[in-house]
Amino acid sequence: MKWSDNLRHWDKFKVYRYVILLGLSLSGDGWSYEASVIASIIQLPAWITHLGYETTIPDSKNQWIGPVYSLGQLVGGLIAAFFLDTFGRKPTMVIGAVLMELSTALLVWSYSFGVVIAARVIEGVSIGFLLLGYQIYAVEIAAKEDRGFVSSFTLMTGNFFGLLAAGIVYGISYSTGNAGWRTALGITFVPATLLLMILPWVPESPRYLYEKGKHEQCRKVLGKLHGCTHEDGQLILSEAGETEYEAMRAAITWDQAHGQDKWAALWNSKAARYRSFVAISSQSWWAWNGGSIFTYYYTIVFSAAGITDPHVQFGIAGVQNASWCIGGIVGGYLLDVWGRRTNYLIGTGQAALMLIIQGALALGIFDKGTVNHAAGAGFVSVYIIQWFLWVMFFSPVVNMLPAEIYSAGLRARGYAIANVFSMGVGFATQYSALPMYRHMHGWTWIFFAGCMLFAFTVIYFTYPETKGLTLEEVEVVFGTGAGQRVKEALGQASPVDPRTPIHYQAQRDIDDEDRKGDSTHMRHARTVSTLSS
């Protein structure tokens, strides 16, 4: 895709898709806002006093507040997979929004430390429902030329709510009562409530409808999304809509006939294992970027750098959130211009470089107890640049990729398994962040820099590129049997050049799968022949 492609060819169908996804992007606003607020509120004296502590929360408890939501999201993602496959994408997001409102109510109350932990767990569960629900829905209704951009809508709007949170937190940092932090947390009700109002007007995903045998409903939704006309009461899909329908039918039919929509299909062939490797590893890198310390303990880090005024610390957080708003928009757009793999490489590469600089400043100056305001300003500047580039290049692709690379029947379960690994390593790094920093100081940044260099190497040598492809063409990249049947159904040569760094014989996997489903193969061959004719 060229730089200006997304700015052209606007018709009512493209506008309709964008309006739907912008409305549903509210699914990410609640947790983006709450994450920004809670990271600051746990530093506020009024909130700490309300929970029954004098000046600070003991480390043994404080280190649970941030990461415990990862455990909730781990469980929520697994449960959400069942709801996505059984009841659909829309009902799953409804449940997520209701759980977000429940967790918000408990946080506003904050009766005790135990209630705060319970609220954070429930919020994590809601994120599992909302994250999987939105990302899967977005990739399934998007056009191939802008799938990366629209999948990032939830990140973009979430960043704006994060900026709102930073402004509010800066204001209540001067407050000594409970009304300030309660108001700040209560705003989380707004995006969740708006999402519940919007969802009844949103159509169900066409791929989910086809999987459930609702073929006519599937065609109607495709017509709304990608264009159609009506002749003598009959729905006539546009060329793009009809092509997508035929590819979808070929892929889903083959998967269902060969059992490739079952749990075992996540690992029962070389192509399946390769796809799962990319999904799981891509979801795990974020936990090793040093954010586990900055997110919840930034006041401690800034104090070590000689920046001790809490209002200045909260102000820096506001500047950072403002930069994220710009980075999220630009990065989401670049997904369809430069590609997923390129964005990943830039994101992890720059993180490694910035962490090395921060480690050098900490080891050479701060860890020695030297107060150097110029070095402190440099440390914070490097930190802000690192996270601006991270949000621009890494964040837009990390939530989308597992939804993009799995087939329709495996999309929810594959994403759920990747989410388990993501939240597992997220919990481990966030829970260990405070004691790690207490013991390692400046070496902490060097450790995380090494992690980012390792991630860069793995991505460079093993990840394929999927930009500009339909979801069914992505199957061709990974060498699945459904991908081959899609080519046959459309009567064309492969539309993609896989450019896959891993060398394997995809056709051998396809032949193995065919032999496993030998009893149904002839019937399926007749179906494919009918589709091709």
Side-chain angles (χ1 to χ4, degrees):
M1 189 183 91
K2 297 181 180 179
W3 282 93
S4 59
D5 282 359
N6 260 351
L7 304 177
R8 297 180 296 183
H9 309 303
W10 287 89
D11 55 28
K12 65 178 182 180
F13 306 108
K14 182 173 182 177
V15 171
Y16 180 64
R17 294 198 307 271
Y18 273 53
V19 169
I20 287 176
L21 291 175
L22 281 171
L24 292 184
S25 69
L26 290 165
S27 63
D29 294 346
W31 84 70
S32 297
Y33 175 84
E34 190 277 344
S36 297
V37 170
I38 198 68
S40 298
I41 283 180
I42 62 177
Q43 325 284 344
L44 289 178
W47 189 75
I48 293 171
T49 302
H50 173 76
L51 288 181
Y53 303 100
E54 293 185 3
T55 56
T56 60
I57 300 174
D59 283 358
S60 60
K61 291 188 175 181
N62 193 18
Q63 68 189 87
W64 278 97
I65 297 175
V68 75
Y69 90 94
S70 294
L71 296 180
Q73 186 175 339
L74 186 155
V75 175
L78 285 175
I79 300 173
F82 169 78
F83 280 87
L84 285 162
D85 285 338
T86 306
F87 302 108
R89 289 29 171 166
K90 285 176 56 179
T92 302
M93 285 187 275
V94 169
I95 296 172
V98 171
L99 290 174
M100 181 62 71
E101 296 208 322
L102 174 59
S103 70
T104 301
L106 291 174
L107 280 174
V108 170
W109 183 33
S110 288
Y111 177 74
S112 65
F113 180 80
V115 170
V116 171
I117 294 299
R120 293 287 283 162
V121 171
I122 294 172
E123 183 197 4
V125 174
S126 76
I127 294 173
F129 278 76
L130 293 172
L131 175 63
L132 269 68
Y134 178 84
Q135 292 298 331
I136 288 174
Y137 185 88
V139 302
E140 288 185 337
I141 75 167
K144 65 179 183 179
E145 63 272 9
D146 61 8
R147 187 167 61 244
F149 184 57
V150 300
S151 295
S152 301
F153 282 175
T154 186
L155 171 67
M156 298 175 198
T157 57
N159 285 337
F160 279 103
F161 267 80
L163 177 59
L164 172 64
I168 291 174
V169 166
Y170 182 78
I172 67 172
S173 68
Y174 291 92
S175 172
T176 58
N178 293 331
W181 63 262
R182 282 199 163 115
T183 300
L185 286 170
I187 293 175
T188 312
F189 282 118
V190 175
T193 302
L194 290 175
L195 181 62
L196 288 172
M197 295 171 62
I198 291 169
L199 276 167
W201 307 98
V202 174
E204 185 53 88
S205 161
R207 285 170 175 80
Y208 172 80
L209 292 171
Y210 192 91
E211 277 192 291
K212 297 302 179 182
K214 301 177 180 180
H215 301 160
E216 287 304 313
Q217 287 181 251
C218 171
R219 291 182 66 86
K220 289 179 181 178
V221 173
L222 282 175
K224 291 181 179 179
L225 296 173
H226 300 292
C228 67
T229 58
H230 291 83
E231 296 182 9
D232 300 325
Q234 296 293 317
L235 175 70
I236 308 298
L237 292 176
S238 65
E239 182 178 353
E242 192 66 47
T243 299
E244 181 163 338
Y245 181 79
E246 290 299 325
M248 182 194 315
R249 177 166 64 174
I252 294 176
T253 300
W254 193 89
D255 279 341
Q256 290 178 338
H258 290 77
Q260 293 303 297
D261 56 348
K262 310 298 183 186
W263 281 100
L266 294 172
W267 61 80
N268 65 1
S269 70
K270 188 175 289 186
R273 290 188 291 273
Y274 176 42
R275 183 159 60 180
S276 292
F277 161 75
V278 172
I280 291 170
S281 62
S282 70
Q283 290 291 283
S284 301
W285 305 131
W286 71 270
W288 306 97
N289 64 0
S292 54
I293 297 175
F294 269 123
T295 301
Y296 297 104
Y297 313 116
Y298 63 86
T299 56
I300 298 173
V301 177
F302 286 167
S303 295
I307 303 172
T308 56
D309 187 330
H311 304 302
V312 174
Q313 293 173 347
F314 290 137
I316 291 172
V319 172
Q320 182 184 46
N321 277 274
S323 72
W324 289 358
C325 292
I326 300 172
I329 296 173
V330 176
Y333 195 86
L334 288 176
L335 276 181
D336 296 309
V337 179
W338 289 354
R340 288 60 159 148
R341 183 171 175 270
T342 301
N343 275 25
Y344 258 147
L345 289 172
I346 296 174
T348 54
Q350 67 82 26
L353 176 61
M354 299 301 176
L355 286 164
I356 290 172
I357 296 173
Q358 291 171 65
L361 288 172
L363 290 170
I365 300 175
F366 309 142
D367 289 358
K368 295 178 180 180
T370 304
V371 177
N372 187 317
H373 294 295
F379 183 94
V380 171
S381 298
V382 171
Y383 159 68
I384 291 176
I385 293 171
Q386 174 194 341
W387 281 92
F388 170 72
L389 295 175
W390 183 269
V391 170
M392 180 185 295
F393 292 107
F394 189 94
S395 297
V397 66
V398 67
N399 289 331
M400 181 198 69
L401 197 63
E404 182 179 59
I405 65 178
Y406 280 109
S407 61
L410 289 177
R411 191 160 287 125
R413 279 168 285 185
Y415 204 140
I417 294 299
N419 184 71
V420 167
F421 281 85
S422 174
M423 292 302 101
V425 296
F427 174 80
T429 56
Q430 290 174 359
Y431 182 76
S432 62
L434 191 54
M436 176 187 288
Y437 182 72
R438 298 288 197 199
H439 287 85
M440 295 177 61
H441 302 292
W443 288 106
T444 305
W445 315 123
I446 303 301
F447 169 78
F448 284 123
C451 294
M452 288 294 95
L453 286 174
F454 176 73
F456 181 94
T457 303
V458 173
I459 293 167
Y460 182 83
F461 286 106
T462 65
Y463 280 29
E465 183 54 74
T466 56
K467 74 167 184 176
L469 307 178
T470 67
L471 293 179
E472 283 69 37
E473 288 169 355
V474 171
E475 301 249 23
V476 180
V477 171
F478 285 95
T480 67
Q484 301 304 311
R485 298 313 181 266
V486 166
K487 291 194 296 182
E488 294 176 14
L490 297 179
Q492 61 185 26
S494 173
V496 296
D497 172 14
R499 292 165 291 181
T500 303
I502 286 182
H503 301 290
Y504 62 93
Q505 293 295 324
Q507 187 61 46
R508 185 183 305 166
D509 293 328
I510 297 164
D511 293 340
D512 289 344
E513 290 170 353
D514 281 346
R515 282 193 290 273
K516 291 177 184 177
D518 198 49
S519 61
T520 60
H521 178 69
M522 293 306 296
R523 182 174 69 253
H524 173 68
R526 288 194 295 271
T527 302
V528 170
S529 177
T530 301
L531 291 173
S532 301
S533 62

